Amino acid sequence: MAVMQPDEASMEPPGWETIEELFAALESPLLSYALRRVGELSVAEDMVQEAFMKLHAQFEKVREPRRWLYRTVHNQALNHRRQADKIVPLNPQSGRGAQAATDATDPQPLPDEQIARWEGIGLVRLSLEALDERSRELIRLKFNDGLSYKEISTRTGLKAGYVGYLLHHALKSIADELAKLGVVP
């Protein structure tokens, strides 16, 4: 049985010269890790995507990207849990003698809110049209059809990690375009 030296334990495996290679190797394990921490797949996917976006911004500065990614996802999970603990559900039935609260607000948005929403939708559609066909298809499968990365991978023949990578860049491109147009999320 080979004994690892202390130096070897922290070394990154060879072949992680690009963020794409790192993404392909670590996206699934990171997703599993995040899912165990938060219990919601969509939240876990967002955390992993955000971690890779942060790494992408400073990839050259990070010496141990694997360790850095796991630490980032871990911290995001802790922050998510802290935020979830702050949310107090409004349950009017919980108080003694409480009567059911009635909501007197109109569920319809105001006309100016509806117009702003339509304008935002139009700008997103224009931004989508600026993408290449493959990116538009991946976004459609993810957000219109609600497919997971694995299901998209099966349909398109692309690896699941690469699907996530392409979606990340497509969404970043849309966000950049919307930011240029003055749309703030």
Side-chain angles (χ1 to χ4, degrees), residues 35 38 48 68 70 74 79 84 91 104 123 125 133 145 151 160 169 177 185:
L35 185 56
V38 297
V48 171
W68 188 95
Y70 273 94
H74 178 81
N79 290 341
N91 186 354
L123 291 173
R125 286 186 176 157
E133 181 60 36
D145 297 351
E151 292 167 327
H169 283 283
E177 186 63 31

Side-chain angles (χ1 to χ4, degrees), residues 128 133-147 152 155-156 167:
L128 275 169
E133 181 60 36
R134 178 174 65 177
S135 296
R136 285 195 305 267
E137 177 67 9
L138 292 176
I139 288 175
R140 185 188 63 76
L141 292 171
K142 177 67 179 161
F143 297 103
N144 289 2
D145 297 351
L147 301 181
I152 294 172
R155 282 208 188 166
T156 61
L167 276 170

Side-chain angles (χ1 to χ4, degrees), residues 164-177:
Y165 174 78
L166 291 172
L167 276 170
H168 159 75
H169 283 283
L171 293 172
K172 183 168 181 354
S173 177
I174 290 171
D176 291 345
E177 186 63 31

Side-chain angles (χ1 to χ4, degrees), residues 1 23 26 39 67 77 84 96 106 110 124 143 145 157 175-176 183:
M1 178 175 194
F23 186 85
L26 291 180
R67 180 177 290 181
R96 279 183 254 152
D106 186 0
L110 295 173
V124 169
F143 297 103
D145 297 351
D176 291 345
V183 177

